[in-house]
Amino acid sequence: MKATREAYGEALVELGREHPEIVVLDADLSSSTMTSGFAKEFPERFFNFGIAEANMMGAAAGLARSGKVPFASTFAVFASGRAYDQVRQSIAYPGFNVKIAASHGGLTVGPDGASHQALEDIALMRVIPGMTVVVPADAEETRQVVRWAAAHDGPVYIRLGRSPVPDVFPQGAPIQPGKASVVKDAKGRGFGEMRPGGERDGLDADVAILANGIMVSKCLEAWELLAAEGITSVVVDVAFVKPLDEKTLLELAGRCGAFVTAEEHSVIGGLGGAVTEFLSENCPCPVVRVGVRDRFGQSGTPEELLAEYGLTAEDIAQAARKSLELKRAE
Amino acid sequence: MGQKGKCEVTTQTQCSKKVEEIRRVCREVRKNVLVMIGTAGSGHPGGSLSCVEIISTLYFGVMRVKPEDPNWPDRDRFVLSKGHAAPTLYAVLAEKGFFPKDLLPTLRKFGSPLQGHPDAKRTPGVEVSTGSLGQGLSMAVGMALAGKLDRKGYRVWVLLGDGECQEGQVWEAAMAASHYKLDNLAAFVDFNGLQIDGRVEEIMNPSPLADKWRAFGWRVLEVDGHDVDALLEAASYASESPGAPTAIIARTVKGKGVSFMEGQREWHGKAPKGEELSRALQEVTKS
Ligand SMILES: Cc1ncc(C[n+]2csc(CCOP(=O)(O)OP(=O)(O)O)c2C)c(N)n1
């Protein structure tokens, strides 16, 4: 168990040692976004802009234009909301190489409540041309995604969580950033047990469950619930909401013909939106979305909120049953 | 500061009674703030304790409000722009009778009307939803403009953090307020010198703060933000200064009243537990 924001902080320090061009920016939240480790080790390459997120994003654009590789961090609500226009105009439009690492995404921020719970950030970022949008599932995937982002040329939005999440990937797992990862196939094999390009027959299932962030581990629980009633499923981590791994989606459409998407985000415009948009144009089949149904968040513990907003393993299983029913009715 | 003292219109005894009452409220509010945050297990004690006198003085010595009719059209308005000080606002509103005090310990709990940051839809007496810093002054400008349009006599009071003044939107609002000559608007700055990552002047120095507000066309007062007399006097000056909004830079101590929290940045967003809570409560009830 580790929060993805923690893994981000550690990855930054590692990368900082290897790449002198990496600079880190924060907006008075370095102890929460976990950029404080980098700040300590590389004070001359760390810039705290104070409570001024829009200015921070503009400065990140300028640093990128001058050959630096800036990682700019604040909470996801502020990175995607307060600074939306700066991210769009100053960073994405000229295609600058800025990495936006936004922590405290989703409901699991907990007691701070709606003002601090980003449930629209993926939609906002996904709609910007050229923006890569990633929601890693656990600490290991975060480490690898951050590393990938540092090497990738172009703007990237990485959404991180506040609360610790169970490990989905073993350390050093051969994750291929950009590709969807099957984390449990219909035969119950985990990520480590399937060689890339190896046995694909485990993808033949009643339903494919696509998820990212904290919802991946919830989907693994749902897999068990469904298996107990004789429904086979595959759980696929789609960390890259954009660009989507279309090839894997098409394969799953062929093999399963029914989908569930699960995300700690509005059902509008996030992973569920991206998947339905793609499938309806290329291989129409039922997709049932698990996510927040057009509401703001509120105060509560992470578990209370996940239950209230319909983001539990049982909600995912229920969505899978519905998706299967729709497939059978076709 | 101006000659006009708060005691001009009242007698000295009425005046000191009022000050006594506000001080009593402050003691009660400090205690409740600590209990609330302690019970919630999360929250922001530092910046809640630094503004106890400011908010208490406004509600118990300055503003005209009707707790039984929170949306009374002629009420004075208060905007807590630094929304993370919600516990102080809630404790003052409860003390004033906007809702029962027994709601206070539900702060931050699932289903509670007392959300982690102010939620205008859920809590009687809360004018606007805040928590994302830098937005309150703009909303207050809108309320003050409406007051002018409707020829109403109400006043709009705002509380900003000093770190919050780093947000560009604060200065866009400041420009608009003086442009529209919003003399029905006044902003307190809780000048406690700290933000999350450290001292405000080290993170992103907004000084000279008073000169900045002046340069944006505001009248500026600097007061001791824990001195009820001084706060009353400043508020009365702000209420009688035609033609321009007033900024009141209130020098405060973050964590005020609890020795081990005072001036300590760790207590920005950490709840006191067990022994810490009882020690803190002891200190604020004694004082
Ligand atoms: C737009 C925005 N950015 C960041 C935060 C996170 N945050 C909450 S409190 C705080 C520090 C506030 O400092 P200051 O305004 O000085 O308040 P005080 O010290 O009085 O608590 C920050 C950065 C926020 N709530 N809103």
Side-chain angles (χ1 to χ4, degrees):
Chain A
M1 290 282 274
K2 191 184 254 185
T4 51
R5 61 179 171 135
E6 265 180 78
Y8 165 62
E10 292 162 8
L12 272 187
V13 175
E14 277 175 32
L15 283 167
R17 292 187 189 127
E18 298 163 26
H19 302 284
E21 69 281 12
I22 288 184
V23 293
V24 175
L25 289 66
D26 207 298
D28 195 32
L29 285 169
S30 67
S31 43
S32 297
T33 62
M34 299 294 177
T35 60
S36 50
F38 186 96
K40 212 162 172 194
E41 188 147 342
F42 310 102
E44 73 292 349
R45 284 195 270 150
F46 174 79
F47 303 97
N48 198 329
F49 279 83
I51 313 168
E53 297 78 8
N55 186 41
M56 173 177 75
M57 293 301 180
L63 283 159
R65 182 70 180 89
S66 315
K68 303 295 174 199
V69 179
F71 278 77
S73 284
T74 178
F75 288 172
V77 251
F78 310 134
S80 66
R82 171 64 51 93
Y84 180 78
D85 200 38
Q86 287 72 20
V87 170
R88 181 189 188 274
Q89 314 281 5
S90 301
I91 295 175
Y93 177 35
F96 286 152
N97 192 23
V98 174
K99 318 302 160 185
I100 301 161
S103 77
H104 291 58
L107 290 167
T108 49
V109 165
D112 269 352
S115 62
H116 285 58
Q117 292 160 342
L119 300 175
E120 320 83 18
D121 56 320
I122 302 304
L124 285 167
M125 291 295 115
R126 191 169 74 85
V127 79
I128 299 176
M131 181 66 78
T132 296
V133 181
V134 196
V135 189
D138 71 353
E140 178 61 19
E141 188 170 36
T142 301
R143 203 178 63 75
Q144 297 198 26
V145 162
V146 171
R147 204 156 255 287
W148 172 87
H152 169 81
D153 186 22
V156 180
Y157 180 85
I158 304 170
R159 188 214 236 197
L160 307 162
R162 169 177 186 252
S163 306
V165 282
D167 296 329
V168 173
F169 294 97
Q171 243 181 9
I175 300 170
Q176 293 172 272
K179 263 191 75 62
S181 311
V182 177
V183 290
K184 193 160 187 137
D185 72 5
K187 300 188 168 169
R189 287 178 296 213
F191 182 79
E193 293 146 0
M194 289 168 296
R195 278 167 285 113
E199 313 88 358
R200 304 300 281 182
D201 57 325
L203 300 189
D204 293 318
D206 294 326
V207 56
I209 304 177
L210 314 178
N212 59 29
I214 62 157
M215 295 307 286
V216 175
S217 57
K218 299 273 172 209
C219 291
L220 292 171
E221 291 172 38
W223 188 99
E224 306 283 347
L225 297 177
L226 292 166
E229 22 186 294
I231 299 176
T232 57
S233 64
V234 277
V235 178
V236 183
D237 168 23
V238 186
F240 279 66
V241 181
K242 189 183 171 187
L244 267 181
D245 177 359
E246 299 178 347
K247 201 165 147 249
T248 300
L249 285 192
L250 283 177
E251 181 179 2
L252 291 168
R255 288 178 183 268
C256 305
F259 287 88
V260 167
T261 60
E263 62 197 311
E264 193 190 5
H265 183 272
S266 171
V267 290
I268 302 169
L271 174 66
V275 168
T276 45
E277 285 161 18
F278 173 74
L279 288 176
S280 63
E281 284 183 347
N282 295 284
C283 189
C285 58
V287 180
V288 180
R289 298 163 303 158
V290 172
V292 176
R293 297 261 156 195
D294 206 19
R295 289 168 71 189
F296 284 103
Q298 60 180 302
S299 294
T301 65
E303 288 307 319
E304 281 168 340
L305 294 172
L306 293 175
E308 168 67 19
Y309 288 80
L311 274 70
T312 65
E314 179 47 39
D315 293 306
I316 297 161
Q318 189 51 37
R321 290 177 205 119
K322 182 172 169 193
S323 191
L324 196 51
E325 227 170 80
L326 288 167
K327 174 168 79 168
R328 286 184 179 142
E330 267 174 5
Chain B
M1 185 174 301
Q3 307 291 59
K4 297 176 195 125
K6 62 190 173 349
C7 294
E8 267 185 357
V9 285
T10 50
T11 67
Q12 282 294 342
T13 38
Q14 275 174 317
C15 188
S16 57
K17 254 196 193 149
K18 191 198 236 177
V19 172
E20 257 327 295
E21 164 68 356
I22 296 171
R23 292 208 180 108
R24 181 197 65 77
V25 169
C26 290
R27 277 193 296 277
E28 200 56 26
V29 167
R30 276 215 161 76
K31 190 187 78 193
N32 285 331
V33 161
L34 287 164
V35 170
M36 290 161 78
I37 298 176
T39 310
S42 68
H44 302 85
S48 295
L49 292 171
S50 63
C51 61
V52 170
E53 280 77 14
I54 298 170
I55 304 182
S56 304
T57 301
L58 281 173
Y59 277 93
F60 283 83
V62 179
M63 290 166 57
R64 289 162 308 162
V65 291
K66 289 187 183 169
E68 70 288 357
D69 183 9
N71 292 319
W72 174 44
D74 293 324
R75 72 194 180 280
D76 289 332
R77 273 85 166 154
F78 175 68
V79 172
L80 181 64
S81 191
K82 44 167 279 187
H84 56 283
T88 303
L89 176 60
Y90 297 153
V92 172
L93 289 175
E95 197 66 31
K96 193 80 188 167
F98 280 89
F99 48 81
K101 278 198 203 178
D102 55 17
L103 274 182
L104 293 178
T106 68
L107 173 75
R108 290 179 160 253
K109 296 243 153 67
F110 181 65
S112 169
L114 306 183
Q115 294 287 295
H117 293 79
D119 183 334
K121 268 185 155 166
R122 288 181 207 250
T123 318
V126 170
E127 292 288 346
V128 292
S129 299
T130 51
S132 181
L133 292 168
Q135 305 199 13
L137 190 57
S138 299
M139 293 188 269
V141 162
M143 294 174 179
L145 277 173
K148 293 276 180 194
L149 278 176
D150 296 343
R151 299 187 194 292
K152 294 236 181 238
Y154 66 74
R155 304 193 56 76
V156 185
W157 301 91
V158 187
L159 177 60
L160 297 154
D162 49 358
E164 186 183 10
C165 292
Q166 293 157 346
E167 287 283 5
Q169 188 182 346
V170 170
W171 302 100
E172 297 174 23
M175 195 173 343
S178 67
H179 179 82
Y180 287 113
K181 302 189 170 47
L182 298 179
D183 50 14
N184 53 350
L185 172 70
F188 285 88
V189 178
D190 184 350
F191 193 30
N192 59 33
L194 289 173
Q195 54 190 113
I196 296 183
D197 280 345
R199 293 173 54 208
V200 172
E201 57 179 38
E202 280 168 12
I203 300 299
M204 186 53 66
N205 195 354
S207 78
L209 203 52
D211 287 345
K212 283 201 174 61
W213 287 97
R214 253 180 231 118
F216 277 78
W218 289 54
R219 291 205 170 75
V220 179
L221 301 174
E222 293 181 72
V223 300
D224 175 346
H226 299 302
D227 178 343
V228 172
D229 277 303
L231 289 167
L232 281 170
E233 203 173 326
S236 110
Y237 172 88
S239 309
E240 294 157 27
S241 302
T246 303
I248 301 162
I249 307 209
R251 283 182 307 273
T252 55
V253 175
K254 201 154 172 171
K256 174 75 177 178
V258 179
S259 57
F260 58 91
M261 292 184 181
E262 288 191 357
Q264 300 300 316
R265 60 173 269 227
E266 308 84 87
W267 287 100
H268 170 83
K270 185 172 82 166
K273 292 200 214 49
E275 179 58 23
E276 291 165 341
L277 180 58
S278 22
R279 254 184 69 203
L281 283 172
Q282 239 171 24
E283 291 190 19
V284 299
T285 32
K286 239 187 8 228
S287 69

